[in-house]
Amino acid sequence: AKPGEEVEVTGIYRNNFDASLNTKNGFPVFSTIIEANYISRNSNPSLALTLTEADEREIRALSRDPRVSKRVIKSIAPSIYGHEDIKTALALSLFGGVKKDIKGKHRIRGDINVLLLGDPGTAKSQFLKYVEKTAPRAVFTTGQGASAVGLTASVRKDPVTREWTLEGGALVLADKGVCLIDEFDKMNESDRTSIHEAMEQQTISVSKAGIITTLQARCAVVAAANPIKGRYDGTVGFGQNVALTEPILSRFDVLCVVRDLVDPVVDELLARFVIGSHLRSHPKFEGEEEEMTIGDSIDQDLIPQDLLRKYILYAREKVQPKLHDVDRDKLARLFGDLRRESLATGSFPITVRHLESMIRMAEASAKMHLREYVRSDDVDLAISVAVGSFLSAQKLSVRRSLERGFRKYLSHARDHEELLAFLLGQMIKDRVRQHQLVTGTQPNRVAVTIEALEARAKDHEIYDAAPFYRSKLFSTNGYKLLANGEIEKVFRSEGGL
């Protein structure tokens, strides 16, 4: 076994009375040892949460849902409204790509690193906390309280044996997991350069106190940072907004710029969502009785966090999708266009690492479906994330023209199902409250006209709602389209949905 790997030790636990320690401390002190008779390397430590056959059947059944990737993405931090780009990036990072070990000589990482940069109050730290609770293995640290040795490895003298011993830092402890770093911009530059090797080569080389070794740090890094001036300035490029050097930025696969923009329609939906979340989280919340008084509805399509955690664990350990019949010309043209535009606009540089990032994200998308091969829709998702990451880092003056130029690569249309389901849930709740005020009783069924829903949808620039009526999300939430042009919701029990 190499330093940094987990081992299982079988032996006899003993304690010895140490007279020198007794004299030093003034009371009896026993040194404890394990007389080992067998040591084995634990090659799959994360599967210690062994999945049962019932769990595997449930995971397989979930993977057969054609909408499983959309369900996984919206199940990432469901208590946070919006931010689809961040949820997509975090979902891809949790599943990860496929690592390549070329004849034991050259290794290409499979983990996806994500940087969240943006305005205060946009739930960046909450996203990190959710990933910490969901990932099979995660280590959380903050930039202000982290030093170079705290992130990599430290050497200290053992108080009993007086020998130099090696202790792993956050990146070593997060091996085969996720390392989360909050307030990334508050770290000292010298401390930040210490994680360059860990983020790309995924090893940490130590040469201290006569100890020369290499530790494993095969983890994804998800970091959150604030802009230099506190708020993100869209009139200047990404490089002028953040105090990070180009070497560290090129090691992040996805850059998510979070803007706190004022939009009256979106702000109203956000306020309703937050108020509903607070009401449901109250310890004395009466589920069935008080649910109708809340302005928004619960999405029945979310995956429970416990099942999502097992699904991620199963996909990471059992699924290794291969690149098969991938549109190489499309990726090559996109890479060339990104390189040319990054040079012309002067934003963060596009390197070969970003091409590898798109391949990793396509593999992670295939893992979400538990597929053995990467399909064209997986590549399209990876391209949309990569192009979205590049465009979000541009100045406002050039972003519009770049969006038009890169539109040919974004083959899949924008999905409006989630927003339409949210609007329809609000309209149903409004009708129920009207019925309660008039009659004082709970309705057995409620109907909303298609014209009313489509009028609300036009406020959000959605002009075609027909695919939503045929979607699985529409039926999962209990809606039915009637011949007279109405959408019906029937309540399963009195006082409940």
Side-chain angles (χ1 to χ4, degrees):
K2 297 177 183 176
E5 292 184 337
E6 288 194 10
V7 294
E8 289 182 2
V9 179
T10 306
I12 303 164
Y13 179 80
R14 295 187 183 280
N15 57 349
N16 293 332
F17 176 72
D18 194 327
S20 61
L21 282 175
N22 185 26
T23 308
K24 183 179 177 181
N25 293 299
F27 53 86
V29 174
F30 295 87
S31 60
T32 57
I33 59 168
I34 293 178
E35 290 184 357
N37 53 32
Y38 185 75
I39 296 177
S40 67
R41 189 173 67 185
N42 194 358
S43 58
N44 237 350
S46 54
L47 275 181
L49 309 161
T50 320
L51 299 173
T52 62
E53 288 184 13
D55 289 336
E56 292 201 14
R57 280 197 300 272
E58 195 174 8
I59 288 166
R60 286 287 176 191
L62 180 60
S63 71
R64 286 192 284 272
D65 184 352
R67 294 185 65 257
V68 66
S69 61
K70 294 176 184 174
R71 292 181 64 188
V72 166
I73 288 167
K74 71 179 178 182
S75 299
I76 300 288
S79 60
I80 299 172
Y81 178 77
H83 297 309
E84 295 300 321
D85 55 338
I86 296 178
K87 292 184 180 184
T88 305
L90 293 178
L92 293 173
S93 180
L94 281 169
F95 281 88
V98 180
K99 64 179 180 182
K100 284 92 175 178
D101 199 347
I102 303 163
K103 297 181 181 178
K105 297 176 182 176
H106 177 56
R107 193 167 72 189
I108 302 172
R109 67 181 167 95
D111 295 298
I112 297 169
N113 301 324
V114 181
L115 174 64
L116 311 179
L117 175 85
D119 299 336
T122 47
K124 298 188 297 294
S125 300
Q126 289 299 322
F127 276 118
L128 297 191
K129 283 294 183 184
Y130 179 84
V131 173
E132 183 189 14
K133 297 288 189 297
T134 307
R137 172 185 289 187
V139 176
F140 186 90
T141 182
T142 57
Q144 192 69 45
S147 61
V149 291
L151 286 170
T152 54
S154 61
V155 175
R156 71 181 187 92
K157 189 172 279 190
D158 188 276
V160 178
T161 61
R162 311 301 295 168
E163 293 179 354
W164 289 102
T165 58
L166 199 62
E167 287 194 351
L171 290 162
V172 177
L173 294 175
D175 188 35
K176 292 189 177 179
V178 185
C179 182
L180 306 153
I181 307 174
D182 202 1
E183 307 290 349
F184 192 61
D185 55 310
K186 308 294 190 299
M187 289 176 65
N188 296 328
E189 191 57 41
S190 58
D191 295 337
R192 210 160 31 223
T193 50
S194 67
I195 67 172
H196 281 199
E197 181 193 1
M199 286 183 70
E200 193 58 46
Q201 279 73 41
Q202 298 204 308
T203 56
I204 291 171
S205 303
V206 179
S207 306
K208 298 177 182 176
I211 299 175
I212 302 172
T213 187
T214 302
L215 300 177
Q216 302 284 352
R218 297 158 295 184
C219 63
V221 175
V222 180
N226 289 319
I228 296 172
K229 301 173 184 176
R231 295 186 74 83
Y232 192 87
D233 184 2
T235 59
V236 296
F238 189 86
Q240 287 82 34
N241 269 295
V242 62
L244 297 175
T245 57
E246 288 184 3
I248 198 86
L249 286 177
S250 69
R251 283 168 164 81
F252 283 105
D253 300 284
V254 188
L255 302 176
C256 294
V257 176
V258 198
R259 304 292 307 281
D260 188 12
L261 301 173
V262 177
D263 185 334
V265 179
V266 175
D267 289 345
E268 183 191 348
L269 294 177
L270 172 61
R272 283 177 176 242
F273 183 87
V274 170
I275 293 167
S277 178
H278 274 263
L279 291 171
R280 288 193 188 95
S281 303
H282 195 276
K284 294 183 179 178
F285 176 68
E286 298 287 342
E288 294 186 351
E289 294 176 13
E290 296 183 20
E291 179 61 38
M292 284 301 163
T293 64
I294 298 176
D296 66 321
S297 59
I298 300 175
D299 193 344
Q300 305 293 333
D301 214 22
L302 294 174
I303 302 172
Q305 188 173 355
D306 188 43
L307 175 59
L308 180 62
R309 183 185 171 93
K310 291 175 181 175
Y311 191 84
I312 292 169
L313 179 65
Y314 183 87
R316 284 178 71 101
E317 299 296 340
K318 298 289 183 71
V319 183
Q320 306 289 328
K322 296 178 183 176
L323 291 168
H324 177 68
D325 199 22
V326 173
D327 192 346
R328 300 188 183 105
D329 293 338
K330 188 176 183 179
L331 284 172
R333 287 196 310 272
L334 173 63
F335 180 64
D337 288 352
L338 286 172
R339 292 266 292 181
R340 187 182 67 251
E341 294 297 346
S342 78
L343 188 65
T345 58
S347 64
F348 70 92
I350 298 292
T351 64
V352 181
R353 285 174 178 158
H354 292 92
L355 180 60
E356 292 179 344
S357 300
M358 286 188 270
I359 295 170
R360 276 193 287 271
M361 289 189 283
E363 291 168 344
S365 175
K367 275 189 179 184
M368 277 194 212
H369 295 266
L370 304 189
R371 282 199 292 260
E372 296 298 326
Y373 290 96
V374 176
R375 296 194 324 200
S376 60
D377 54 342
D378 298 321
V379 177
D380 289 341
L381 176 64
I383 287 174
S384 70
V385 173
V387 171
S389 170
F390 178 72
L391 293 177
S392 68
Q394 302 301 320
K395 297 187 285 190
L396 289 172
S397 56
V398 297
R399 190 186 302 171
R400 290 286 169 85
S401 61
L402 287 177
E403 282 176 353
R404 285 194 296 273
F406 284 106
R407 196 171 290 160
K408 59 187 175 185
Y409 295 109
L410 305 176
S411 58
H412 68 289
R414 193 175 165 211
D415 185 12
H416 299 296
E417 289 179 6
E418 306 297 337
L419 183 54
L420 286 168
F422 191 80
L423 293 172
L424 181 55
Q426 285 189 344
M427 295 173 73
I428 292 285
K429 286 289 183 72
D430 292 340
R431 291 294 171 88
V432 169
R433 282 200 293 274
Q434 286 175 7
H435 187 279
Q436 287 175 332
L437 289 171
V438 173
T439 65
T441 59
Q442 187 78 18
N444 294 323
R445 63 176 288 279
V446 170
V448 173
T449 62
I450 291 176
E451 289 80 7
L453 175 62
E454 291 182 351
R456 288 282 297 273
K458 285 177 183 175
D459 294 341
H460 298 269
E461 299 180 356
I462 302 172
Y463 301 103
D464 182 18
F468 171 60
Y469 307 139
R470 298 189 297 270
S471 69
K472 183 83 180 292
L473 180 62
F474 185 79
S475 57
T476 302
N477 282 296
Y479 302 123
K480 188 184 291 184
L481 188 62
L482 303 180
N484 61 355
E486 289 187 336
I487 300 168
E488 183 187 52
K489 169 88 169 180
V490 178
F491 299 109
R492 290 195 287 266
S493 62
E494 191 177 343
L497 289 173

